Amino acid sequence: MSKLVVSQKIKLAVKNGHGVVKIKVGNTTIGGDQLAVMAGPCSVENREQVLEAARIVKGAGGHILRGGAFKPRTLPYSFQGLGEEGLKILDAARSETGLPIITEVMAPEDVELVESYADILQIGARNMQNFALLKRVGKASKPVMLKRGMSATIEEWLGCAEYILNEGNHDVILCERGIRTYETITRNTLDVSAVPVIKQLSDLPVVVDPSHGTGIRSLVAPMAKAGIAAGADGLMIEMHPHPEKALSDGDQSLHPHEFEALMREMAPIAGAVGKRL
Ligand code: PEP
Ligand code: MN
């Protein structure tokens, strides 16, 4: 049987006999037989928007609320996020719904603040190789979800997970969010094959983000399903109460009714691969 090969210098992010990593956040375990659904708006915009989104996520059976308070935007003129005010809004949504929170941290000096609010720290694709940030979240007391860089090989991605693990934080989740290819119809090319590759190489949980992976609302549901069928441990999905009003990523954000339908449609696919929602 042919075997997948990565650098033998990677020790902690590859299978090493310690078994599948299971990360418990609230009532949800990421890794193992549960399919963890993280959903919510791209950006935290205001209290009403986030509370409305949180109620929809909770009502539809989602497990974790997402929302960015620190936003990595392509241009400095775009909405940059609400910062700590956004974290406070996420905290209020958690208090009301009980949903744990995942949110991005972009700089080492912000980790202390963000980890005081977040249940999971997100490292965005653009920061995958920000080694100072990786080392800092490696010392954090919260799990870290490491998104794949948009031009990163799987080996480079695992090398970045190694940075976090090497600092002593064992709770690392990998997130495939699409890579740059010559294709321009979609925002990125979602590398679904990364999921079974990671499963064969590593014991870390892997999550698929079909929202950034495609950039197009109508492609989110089919690629979410493909991710589950490929063996993902979870999904990260952008959903906005009013996508047409979104301050970021409205075109790829599901409408609430689309998210609710997707949650129903995902259940049998999860079941077919031995996972429950
Ligand atoms: C996000 O999840 O909001 C985000 C910015 O994603 P990525 O880092 O994958 O582009
Ligand atoms: Mn986004």
Side-chain angles (χ1 to χ4, degrees):
M1 199 179 84
S2 63
K3 205 168 173 300
L4 304 178
V5 179
V6 281
S7 167
Q8 293 199 345
K9 291 182 186 157
I10 302 178
K11 301 281 185 213
L12 305 170
V14 293
K15 285 189 191 289
N16 53 25
H18 287 98
V20 172
V21 175
K22 295 184 181 174
I23 300 169
K24 197 159 166 25
V25 182
N27 299 324
T28 303
T29 301
I30 306 165
D33 64 3
Q34 189 172 10
L35 181 81
V37 177
M38 311 172 179
C42 179
S43 297
V44 172
E45 299 168 6
N46 58 63
R47 199 179 167 91
E48 293 64 42
Q49 170 236 16
V50 172
L51 288 177
E52 198 177 346
R55 289 177 199 132
I56 294 160
V57 171
K58 173 86 176 179
H63 306 102
I64 295 167
L65 179 66
R66 71 145 285 147
F70 293 88
K71 294 303 301 175
R73 304 306 301 279
T74 302
L75 289 175
Y77 316 116
S78 306
F79 177 60
Q80 300 286 308
L82 297 180
E84 185 169 7
E85 191 194 332
L87 298 174
K88 288 185 175 155
I89 292 172
L90 289 167
D91 186 33
R94 172 174 50 204
S95 298
E96 188 191 301
T97 61
L99 291 174
I101 281 156
I102 180 166
T103 195
E104 178 162 353
V105 59
M106 287 172 43
E109 61 270 23
D110 293 337
V111 173
E112 193 176 340
L113 174 73
V114 178
E115 79 169 315
S116 72
Y117 288 94
D119 297 287
I120 306 176
L121 299 169
Q122 175 172 323
I123 303 294
R126 291 157 190 80
N127 271 318
M128 185 198 79
Q129 281 187 320
N130 180 339
F131 299 115
L133 180 60
L134 299 179
K135 286 183 186 172
R136 179 61 189 84
V137 296
K139 294 197 189 312
S141 57
K142 298 288 169 67
V144 177
M145 188 173 88
L146 177 65
K147 288 191 143 195
R148 181 179 181 180
M150 55 185 87
S151 304
T153 66
I154 292 174
E155 182 170 287
E156 288 164 340
W157 187 19
L158 288 172
C160 293
E162 190 86 3
Y163 264 89
I164 303 169
L165 296 162
N166 190 43
E167 297 295 329
N169 190 342
H170 302 296
D171 290 343
V172 176
I173 303 156
L174 298 168
C175 177
E176 164 60 43
R177 49 76 75 205
I179 51 175
R180 284 261 164 97
T181 67
Y182 50 78
E183 183 55 67
T184 54
I185 289 184
T186 47
R187 180 176 179 184
N188 290 293
T189 297
L190 187 70
D191 181 8
V192 182
S193 68
V195 175
V197 169
I198 293 296
K199 285 285 161 202
Q200 287 184 35
L201 290 172
S202 175
D203 280 325
L204 298 174
V206 58
V207 163
V208 164
D209 173 352
S211 305
H212 297 88
T214 63
I216 298 169
R217 183 178 304 125
S218 63
L219 302 178
V220 170
M223 295 315 288
K225 294 172 189 171
I228 301 169
D233 296 296
L235 294 168
M236 168 163 268
I237 294 172
E238 286 187 339
M239 184 276 301
H240 193 291
H242 308 282
E244 63 289 347
K245 293 190 193 153
L247 296 183
S248 60
D249 287 350
D251 290 347
Q252 67 194 34
S253 298
L254 295 186
H255 290 277
H257 72 274
E258 293 170 319
F259 176 68
E260 289 157 0
L262 176 59
M263 288 298 292
R264 289 191 294 272
E265 292 163 12
M266 286 189 312
I269 300 167
V273 293
K275 284 203 158 61
R276 64 190 163 80
L277 261 176

